[in-house]
Amino acid sequence: MFNSFKNQRNDVPAIIAHSTKVTGDIVCEGELQLDGTVHGNLDIEKLIIGNKGLVQGNIQANELTILGKVEGNIQAKQVTLLPSAQVFGNIEHETLTIEAGAHVDGKLTHRNERANNVTAIDSSGDQTINN
């Protein structure tokens, strides 16, 4: 009976409500819905920052959706910035979606694990065609 809760722990996101302020780092292996304020770094599997959510610190996540405000650097596999998003910091990503209206003040860097395996193409135009 109690073991069934272990299998369901990632199905229900943790929630930081609008009226809640957290000072310190947060580590979460599941999903977090942030509607309040966090002064600290976050290391989270899946993070949703609501319209009134504020993070003052760096974020590391697998999936990140922002409707609120981030003041810090972001490293995430998948980043989605919705129209109300405000990011003041650099974003390192594999997949990035920015909807019209979102604000980013920082550097966007696409990280690609295959970058070391890229072969340069000779574009000098010195190609020979044998007929």
Side-chain angles (χ1 to χ4, degrees), residues 43-80:
D43 185 353
I44 297 181
E45 180 67 25
K46 183 176 181 181
L47 175 61
I48 300 168
I49 302 174
N51 281 325
K52 299 189 185 222
L54 169 63
V55 174
Q56 293 179 320
N58 297 324
I59 299 172
Q60 184 169 346
N62 191 33
E63 292 179 50
L64 175 61
T65 301
I66 303 174
L67 291 93
K69 186 174 183 180
V70 175
E71 296 173 356
N73 295 324
I74 295 170
Q75 290 184 348
K77 197 172 201 175
Q78 179 181 338
V79 179
T80 302

Side-chain angles (χ1 to χ4, degrees), residues 112-130:
N112 186 348
E113 294 177 12
R114 294 179 289 162
N116 294 332
N117 298 329
V118 174
T119 303
I121 298 174
D122 183 12
S123 61
S124 63
D126 296 335
Q127 298 178 355
T128 304
I129 300 174
N130 295 328

Side-chain angles (χ1 to χ4, degrees), residues 79-94:
V79 179
T80 302
L81 305 178
L82 297 176
S84 57
Q86 297 179 47
V87 177
F88 300 91
N90 300 327
I91 302 174
E92 184 178 320
H93 61 87
E94 287 183 24

Side-chain angles (χ1 to χ4, degrees), residues 14 16 20-29 32 34 37-45 47 55 58-60:
I16 297 178
T20 305
K21 294 180 183 177
V22 177
T23 300
D25 297 342
I26 297 175
V27 176
C28 180
E29 293 179 5
L32 174 65
L34 173 62
T37 301
V38 174
H39 299 280
N41 299 321
L42 292 102
D43 185 353
I44 297 181
E45 180 67 25
L47 175 61
V55 174
N58 297 324
I59 299 172
Q60 184 169 346

